[in-house]
Amino acid sequence: MSASDSYDFDLFVIGAGSGGVRAARMSATYGAKVGIAEERHLGGTCVNIGCVPKKLMVYASHFDEDFEDAAGYGWTVGPRSFDWQTLIANKNQEIGRLNGIYESLLTKAGVEIVEGRAVLTGPNSLEVAGRKITAKTILVATGARPSRSSEPGQELGIVSDDIFFLEQQPERMMVLGGGYIAVEFAGIFNGLGSEVTQLYRRDLFLRGFDGDVRRFLAEEMRKKGVDLIFNTIASQIEKTSSGLLVTLSDGQKREVDQVLYAIGRRPNIEGLGLEAAGVALDERGAIKVDDHYRTNVPSIYALGDVTDRVQLTPVAIAEAMVLAGNLYRGEDRTLDYADIPTAVFSQPPIGTVGLTEEQARARYEALDIYRSEFRPMKHTMTHNTERTLMKLIVDRPSQKVVGAHMVGADAGEIAQGLGIAIKAGATKADFDATIGIHPTAAEEFVTMREPVPEPEQLAAE
């Protein structure tokens, strides 16, 4: 592998997260000379302070409920306790193992890893820890970082990056925000035994998800003990001798041990030298790119969360595969962003793919909605009152399934298979012709036969 005579590298990647690592590794495999810079940990947000450690915490937080459920099946579970420090130590060990795997993947592919913060100094040049580097093509894949609000005392709270390194588990946790990160951490700390309050400024959390899913999850979370307070924000945070005193917008005061800001994420662009290179940003501060991830500067590309399109790890990886193929295999592909399966590891979890009912009603003239709600078989011999929701959205004239949504155990696992069917254009008849796997919850998706009444029918009754 060799770069052109006038540059140190064919491709230099800023940011060794999921998208950056995949783009670097595949480009090197295709014959390019590649370097990559990372100032923190290999693997980026997902591996170190995002989806991987968060999912481990979800597992940890579910055991208390599992122990209770076991009694209905004849098991006697003795005295039990939870130790936060053990969880964090074991999590750190696993993340360290994954960091090593990422380093091995890059070095075996021939990618040079440069430790330090990379700063652009021009369209083909950058500097990393005092080292001046040139590259024919530069890829910015620096991801996003948590946002904070501006009320007095906000600096006393933490963001999701900090959660994974807390020395002590807060006994009283307040989560600010209504996105999937807020919902997931509310469930995690509730399951681990903390007293959890979640505040959201609108009337219902998870804006953009299907309305039935949002309402159903709120009911289930409240049943599990999470104190959900909507149409409310924190207006002030003050430190006291025994914790943090949070003044709410309705005048209430709540004392907690920790406040978590989970109010969104913004592109991580500060201090990159984008201005020096002439890279254009949009009104949200994201790097503007075309369908081939090119910025307005021909030699500079960007992908993943820093472009603020779809902030999901598998999307960044898919974008990286497209980019590497286009740059170094002579391909001319674009990524199809429709019907991306998504999971929220709330408790119970959400699995979703395709259009919400609200989106589908805006796009199609007539719909058939199939909806089922039931108590899972596992809980029929326990005192657990958790329920499951499943929903299919069908375009009536074509009978094409345009959306599938689930709240319940293993929803993410089930949604992956549904994603294949919807991506392939399956109709309701295809679902009906598929034999169910019995007894499972998943079989409900192929046994729903009667659509629910239309809203106008219900109104007339």
Side-chain angles (χ1 to χ4, degrees), residues 202-228:
R202 298 177 186 268
D203 58 357
L204 190 60
F205 56 24
L206 293 177
R207 186 164 56 97
F209 283 77
D210 185 87
D212 282 335
V213 166
R214 299 167 71 195
R215 289 184 288 271
F216 188 87
L217 181 65
E219 291 173 11
E220 293 299 310
M221 288 180 66
R222 284 188 168 121
K223 278 163 50 177
K224 291 178 185 290
V226 178
D227 185 8
L228 296 176

Side-chain angles (χ1 to χ4, degrees), residues 218-342:
E219 291 173 11
E220 293 299 310
M221 288 180 66
R222 284 188 168 121
K223 278 163 50 177
K224 291 178 185 290
V226 178
D227 185 8
L228 296 176
I229 304 176
F230 296 138
N231 294 309
T232 307
I233 61 172
S235 57
Q236 182 174 312
I237 304 174
E238 301 168 271
K239 190 167 182 59
T240 69
S241 59
S242 54
L244 298 174
L245 185 65
V246 184
T247 303
L248 310 187
S249 53
D250 62 2
Q252 285 189 68
K253 291 182 183 289
R254 298 281 184 101
E255 187 177 70
V256 297
D257 299 304
Q258 194 62 261
V259 175
L260 170 64
Y261 283 91
I263 59 173
R265 294 175 65 81
R266 64 182 189 276
N268 193 14
I269 58 168
E270 285 80 5
L272 285 178
L274 296 174
E275 304 83 1
V279 176
L281 307 177
D282 67 15
E283 65 280 358
R284 303 184 310 275
I287 297 178
K288 294 172 67 173
V289 294
D290 65 13
D291 290 342
H292 290 82
Y293 313 110
R294 291 178 294 223
T295 70
N296 61 305
V297 180
S299 57
I300 299 178
Y301 292 70
L303 55 73
D305 290 1
V306 78
T307 66
D308 198 22
R309 285 184 168 181
V310 181
Q311 293 195 12
L312 294 170
T313 292
V315 172
I317 291 171
E319 291 174 343
M321 293 296 291
V322 169
L323 178 63
N326 288 350
L327 288 177
Y328 302 112
R329 292 190 78 185
E331 298 173 357
D332 185 24
R333 291 199 298 134
T334 57
L335 186 64
D336 180 6
Y337 290 90
D339 300 326
I340 297 172
T342 305

Side-chain angles (χ1 to χ4, degrees), residues 250-441:
D250 62 2
Q252 285 189 68
K253 291 182 183 289
R254 298 281 184 101
E255 187 177 70
V256 297
D257 299 304
Q258 194 62 261
V259 175
L260 170 64
Y261 283 91
I263 59 173
R265 294 175 65 81
R266 64 182 189 276
N268 193 14
I269 58 168
E270 285 80 5
L272 285 178
L274 296 174
E275 304 83 1
V279 176
L281 307 177
D282 67 15
E283 65 280 358
R284 303 184 310 275
I287 297 178
K288 294 172 67 173
V289 294
D290 65 13
D291 290 342
H292 290 82
Y293 313 110
R294 291 178 294 223
T295 70
N296 61 305
V297 180
S299 57
I300 299 178
Y301 292 70
L303 55 73
D305 290 1
V306 78
T307 66
D308 198 22
R309 285 184 168 181
V310 181
Q311 293 195 12
L312 294 170
T313 292
V315 172
I317 291 171
E319 291 174 343
M321 293 296 291
V322 169
L323 178 63
N326 288 350
L327 288 177
Y328 302 112
R329 292 190 78 185
E331 298 173 357
D332 185 24
R333 291 199 298 134
T334 57
L335 186 64
D336 180 6
Y337 290 90
D339 300 326
I340 297 172
T342 305
V344 177
F345 297 107
S346 49
Q347 299 189 36
I350 297 170
T352 180
V353 60
L355 301 178
T356 66
E357 180 176 344
E358 294 78 11
Q359 291 168 335
R361 290 199 182 280
R363 185 176 302 187
Y364 297 103
E365 290 187 8
L367 298 175
D368 288 330
I369 305 295
Y370 297 82
R371 185 169 53 237
S372 179
E373 182 187 326
F374 55 92
R375 189 181 188 189
M377 182 179 180
K378 177 184 177 182
H379 296 326
T380 57
M381 297 208 304
T382 75
H383 296 296
N384 195 321
T385 61
E386 180 178 295
R387 296 180 67 79
T388 292
L389 170 72
M390 292 183 176
K391 182 174 182 178
L392 286 177
I393 300 164
V394 180
D395 171 39
R396 186 177 296 160
S398 69
Q399 284 297 290
K400 183 178 177 181
V401 179
V402 297
H405 309 277
M406 176 179 174
V407 184
D410 301 315
E413 308 290 344
I414 292 169
Q416 184 68 77
L418 295 172
I420 298 170
I422 289 177
K423 199 70 172 175
T427 63
K428 184 61 169 63
D430 293 322
F431 274 65
D432 294 343
T434 302
I435 304 298
I437 302 172
H438 185 74
T440 66

Side-chain angles (χ1 to χ4, degrees), residues 33 38-39 66 82 96-97 117 130 166 178 211 222 224 255 265 280 316 351 362 427 449:
K33 184 178 182 183
E38 176 56 54
E39 64 174 334
D66 292 339
F82 169 69
R97 185 185 71 85
R117 182 172 186 79
L166 287 178
R222 284 188 168 121
K224 291 178 185 290
E255 187 177 70
R265 294 175 65 81
T427 63
R449 294 289 183 261

